[in-house]
Amino acid sequence: MTQDDKTRITVEIHNKSYTVVGKENADHVRLIASLVDQKMRDIHGGNQQLTTSELAVLTAVNTMNDYMKLKEDYATLLGSKNKEEDK
């Protein structure tokens, strides 16, 4: 991938600007940044004493937990679908 193939977009997460460089389109990057920002605001709302680093780690842990639950649900659905097809 060349530099020309990459999108560069500046987003704001938890009142700080970040430049994201990648191959995703700008709308997708903005959506992801918005979701991260909202998750950080939700967590911060429950504990105002968290440092930005602590908040970032808790956001990552919560997000990974959500991802793993979805992944497990997806595997369960695939298993159910495969059982139905075997009948």
Side-chain angles (χ1 to χ4, degrees):
M1 176 180 285
T2 66
Q3 186 66 26
D4 293 336
D5 296 336
K6 294 182 181 179
T7 301
R8 175 181 294 272
I9 182 157
T10 301
V11 295
E12 189 169 306
I13 300 172
H14 197 61
N15 302 318
K16 183 169 173 153
S17 292
Y18 295 90
T19 299
V20 179
V21 179
K23 59 184 179 179
E24 300 293 341
N25 71 50
D27 288 337
H28 180 77
V29 173
R30 283 188 199 97
L31 172 63
I32 298 304
S34 174
L35 293 170
V36 170
D37 183 62
Q38 186 58 53
K39 180 68 90 171
M40 289 182 83
R41 289 179 189 283
D42 291 346
I43 293 170
H44 195 241
N47 187 345
Q48 299 283 319
Q49 311 317 21
L50 293 171
T51 66
T52 301
S53 294
E54 291 167 335
L55 183 57
V57 169
L58 286 175
T59 300
V61 168
N62 277 267
T63 302
M64 187 54 64
N65 181 57
D66 292 347
Y67 169 75
M68 291 303 297
K69 285 181 182 178
L70 285 171
K71 194 172 175 181
E72 290 165 4
D73 289 348
Y74 178 71
T76 300
L77 284 172
L78 279 182
S80 296
K81 181 181 177 223
N82 289 339
K83 285 182 185 177
E84 287 293 320
E85 289 175 354
D86 290 344
K87 288 184 180 182

